[in-house]
Amino acid sequence: MGGLPVDPIDAVDEKKNHDSSSSSDNELDALPAVKGLKDDAARQLDVSLALPGMTGVHEEDELDPAESRAVKRKLDWRIMPLLCLIYTVQFLDKNNIGASAILGFLQDAHLTGEQLNNLGTFFYVGMLASQLPHAYAFQKLPVAKYLAVMMFFWAVLVGVHAAGRSYHSLIAIRLLLGFTEGCITPGLMLVTSMYYTRAEMGERVGLVFQCNGIASILSGFIAFGAYHTPNHTPLSLPQNHGKVAQWQWFMIIISLLTLATSILFALFFPDSPTKAKFLSGEERVIAIKRIKTNQSGVETKSWKWPTSLCSTPFFANFVGGIGIQYTLIIKDFGFKVWQTTLLNIPGGALMVITVTVSMWIFHKYPNARGWISAGSYVPSIIAAMVLVIHPNSRVGLLIAFYCIQLGCTPAVVLSLSWITTTTSGHTKKLVLNAMWLIGYSVGQMVSPQWWKDKYKPKNRVPWIIILSSYCFQVVIILFLRWFLQRRNRIRDEAAKNATTEEEKDLYGEYGWLEVPGADGSVNKIRVEKRFLDLTDFENKNFRYVL
């Protein structure tokens, strides 16, 4: 599919070696206009075309604001609580060994500080390896069901941590846990793009990421409770005589919470708006028409390898392995174990407040993602400088430690939503989300290795690396904003100067869907380009948010 007007069907029909009868339950079979298409051709189109009234030209088809708000309210009440819940337990699961490090986990599993860092690295090795398989699975399988199954597996793996008796067995567990949890962030971005407009996506992703702070608060309370269980003295597992160690209680509780979440997700989360049983038929159409401004459809079931091979840019987000080390860092400031279990709670609360403020600013200025992201790094950069200097005040160090995590969180939230909203084409969106997670995983794989015993207790080397990383991120964000703004300007100018019908079609909102008739003739149907699974490069009507 190059320029437009295009013939997506002819492009697919050229693939003679494909088996056109490989599936008989394609949702698009419900659409009369595509009943004559081969199955692999129909899969190139968006599934929302199967709903009544989604083909043709709808230039005068304005949504009633009250109906649109009512559908959005329904989506919020059904979709958002489950997304928030899954992100809360995911953050708890990901950082479980960090919370357990001061509860006897290191002693019972016979781990050194370097080996603990390696367990953090291996988690992200698993996550790195999972990204393209997950992206392909999201294209081929029901999204919600796939997420629920992966969640079930990682709940089991968190529970298996409690039986970990050796460094090598824990490496295997961490690899598998990273692989299963690698689906959550790309899944979140895919789901929000199906249900919400560009501006709404940023706000909803921010709301979901607030749950990282809520998870930190819950983790503190759970760890504090585990610390007060009868087994106060860490013992090696063979000597426990059936007793449950403090860190094991922590793992078991987190595992059960995740298991319950996976069941709720499987039962109540729809795979796409076209399958949302809590919406009526008319409301499903409204839900899809609401996201018209995204210039992207809902979902296609055809994986396009050429698209995936050219979708390689990504952000690398280095956060310094803090998720593994955070309890040990706070303890090294001079606090006792029971104090350390609770001192992560204010950090979680501050994270919630910071993301809330950032999302409020974003709500007021929805086309200022770049400026907000770059500005949010300022407190983190200042905090990193304080930690490099390392004043003698443990309270000052604790405040700086809280602040160093605050700035990067809003930036990560906005960059994730930015990737989704500046990308069109279902395959490209999946792969670009995966590439972002690959960059993130690489950063997280490397960063735990900075926290070596020889740098303790001041840890100046890790803090300097984090400071440099944050400064580099600001440069990348500002460059990206300039680049996208320049591309929008070029397209606006080209659309303004279009004179021929072909040029107007190229930069217009609609393309042509060509369907073979029963008598061998070809029928042309006017369809919005967003339903043709075009990338943002192919769809010249697409404009990038800033």
Side-chain angles (χ1 to χ4, degrees):
M1 296 181 189
L4 289 174
V6 298
D7 181 3
I9 306 309
D10 286 346
V12 176
D13 283 345
E14 291 176 3
K15 303 176 182 179
K16 301 294 185 181
N17 58 332
H18 281 198
D19 179 8
S20 63
S21 59
S22 58
S23 173
S24 59
D25 58 352
N26 190 349
E27 293 175 62
L28 287 167
D29 287 344
L31 180 64
V34 298
K35 275 188 177 292
L37 297 183
K38 295 180 179 180
D39 185 70
D40 57 352
R43 283 176 172 270
Q44 301 280 337
L45 307 176
D46 196 83
V47 297
S48 58
L49 283 175
L51 296 176
M54 294 310 298
T55 57
V57 178
H58 308 284
E59 292 173 343
E60 307 299 326
D61 189 9
E62 295 293 332
L63 288 177
D64 180 85
E67 291 179 344
S68 180
R69 284 193 300 270
V71 170
K72 184 174 72 171
R73 250 191 325 269
K74 272 195 173 185
L75 293 174
D76 283 341
W77 280 108
R78 176 59 69 91
I79 300 296
M80 293 310 300
L82 289 170
L83 289 180
C84 288
L85 189 57
I86 189 176
Y87 228 82
T88 300
V89 297
Q90 189 256 0
F91 195 79
L92 286 170
D93 296 345
K94 187 193 316 184
N95 295 325
N96 57 2
I97 61 173
S100 303
I102 59 169
L103 295 176
F105 174 64
L106 295 181
Q107 296 90 333
D108 281 7
H110 310 293
L111 298 176
T112 65
E114 305 294 332
Q115 288 174 330
L116 178 67
N117 292 338
N118 291 341
L119 292 181
T121 293
F122 279 111
F123 175 90
Y124 287 99
V125 171
M127 182 173 285
L128 175 64
S130 75
Q131 290 312 304
L132 291 180
H134 284 320
Y136 188 75
F138 282 137
Q139 186 86 34
K140 295 295 185 179
L141 301 173
V143 175
K145 303 301 184 295
Y146 183 74
L147 284 172
V149 170
M150 289 296 104
M151 210 184 314
F152 172 81
F153 283 127
W154 91 55
V156 172
L157 289 166
V158 172
V160 172
H161 275 73
R165 294 173 179 263
S166 70
Y167 173 58
H168 293 97
S169 65
L170 286 167
I171 285 177
I173 294 170
R174 297 297 292 178
L175 279 168
L176 292 172
L177 184 65
F179 189 95
T180 55
E181 286 196 32
C183 66
I184 177 60
T185 298
L188 164 70
M189 301 314 301
L190 177 61
V191 166
T192 53
S193 68
M194 288 181 182
Y195 292 96
Y196 294 106
T197 66
R198 290 176 170 185
E200 293 167 356
M201 258 189 277
E203 296 168 11
R204 269 66 181 177
V205 171
L207 178 62
V208 172
F209 261 77
Q210 284 180 331
C211 296
N212 287 353
I214 294 171
S216 296
I217 295 170
L218 288 175
S219 178
F221 282 118
I222 295 171
F224 183 74
Y227 176 76
H228 286 86
T229 55
N231 185 23
H232 284 192
T233 305
L235 299 173
S236 62
L237 288 174
Q239 299 172 354
N240 270 349
H241 303 297
K243 294 181 181 178
V244 179
Q246 295 168 347
W247 66 271
Q248 288 174 314
W249 276 120
F250 183 88
M251 297 288 188
I252 292 168
I253 292 170
I254 301 302
S255 176
L256 292 174
L257 288 173
T258 306
L259 184 61
T261 302
S262 70
I263 295 171
L264 290 174
F265 205 80
L267 292 176
F268 298 112
F269 202 94
D271 293 305
S272 74
T274 62
K275 294 183 178 180
K277 294 181 180 179
F278 61 91
L279 297 176
S280 67
E282 183 180 353
E283 287 172 334
R284 294 179 196 181
V285 173
I286 293 173
I288 293 165
K289 289 184 177 180
R290 281 185 68 254
I291 62 173
K292 178 179 180 179
T293 55
N294 295 357
Q295 278 298 303
S296 180
V298 172
E299 182 181 24
T300 63
K301 290 301 181 184
S302 174
W303 182 268
K304 299 179 180 177
W305 287 108
T307 300
S308 67
L309 292 175
C310 71
S311 304
T312 55
F314 60 88
F315 286 113
N317 182 30
F318 293 92
V319 296
I322 291 175
I324 296 297
Q325 290 282 335
Y326 73 92
T327 57
L328 299 177
I329 293 170
I330 294 174
K331 188 172 179 291
D332 284 344
F333 290 158
F335 296 99
K336 297 178 181 179
V337 172
W338 72 268
Q339 293 173 319
T340 301
T341 61
L342 293 174
L343 284 174
N344 196 45
I345 295 173
L350 283 172
M351 188 183 298
V352 172
I353 294 169
T354 303
V355 174
T356 301
V357 172
S358 299
M359 292 305 104
W360 179 82
I361 297 172
F362 172 69
H363 180 76
K364 292 289 185 181
Y365 305 99
N367 213 33
R369 287 171 174 81
W371 299 123
I372 298 170
S373 297
S376 68
Y377 273 107
V378 172
S380 292
I381 291 172
I382 295 172
M385 291 177 177
V386 171
L387 289 164
V388 169
I389 297 169
H390 201 87
N392 293 325
S393 169
R394 66 176 185 174
V395 174
L397 288 169
L398 184 63
I399 293 172
F401 179 72
Y402 290 153
C403 290
I404 201 169
Q405 301 175 79
L406 296 184
C408 63
T409 302
V412 169
V413 172
L414 289 170
S415 68
L416 276 169
S417 66
W418 206 0
I419 285 173
T420 301
T421 53
T422 54
T423 307
S424 183
H426 195 68
T427 302
K428 182 174 180 179
K429 190 173 296 186
L430 287 170
V431 174
L432 200 57
N433 285 339
M435 295 307 295
W436 189 96
L437 262 294
I438 287 173
Y440 174 84
S441 298
V442 169
Q444 292 279 26
M445 278 168 48
V446 175
S447 59
Q449 304 305 317
W450 305 333
W451 301 89
K452 298 185 181 296
D453 292 340
K454 64 182 180 181
Y455 300 140
K456 291 183 178 181
K458 294 186 177 181
N459 292 311
R460 279 203 174 99
V461 171
W463 297 131
I464 289 172
I465 294 173
I466 292 173
L467 173 60
S468 303
S469 172
Y470 285 166
C471 292
F472 186 60
Q473 284 293 321
V474 172
V475 174
I476 291 176
I477 290 168
L478 295 179
F479 172 79
L480 178 63
R481 190 185 192 282
W482 169 84
F483 178 79
L484 296 179
Q485 188 176 38
R486 178 174 176 272
R487 177 162 286 179
N488 282 346
R489 195 182 305 118
I490 291 172
R491 290 189 175 185
D492 288 341
E493 190 68 24
K496 181 180 177 182
N497 295 330
T499 54
T500 67
E501 287 301 315
E502 184 176 356
E503 288 175 340
K504 290 178 181 178
D505 270 343
L506 181 63
Y507 289 95
E509 183 179 348
Y510 292 86
W512 290 102
L513 172 62
E514 297 190 3
V515 182
D519 57 355
S521 62
V522 176
N523 301 316
K524 287 189 175 183
I525 304 175
R526 201 76 157 144
V527 177
E528 294 175 52
K529 291 178 183 176
R530 65 189 178 115
F531 294 131
L532 298 178
D533 196 27
L534 301 171
T535 71
D536 48 281
F537 288 104
E538 294 169 325
N539 184 358
K540 304 301 182 183
N541 188 51
F542 188 93
R543 295 297 182 271
Y544 299 94
V545 294
L546 305 175

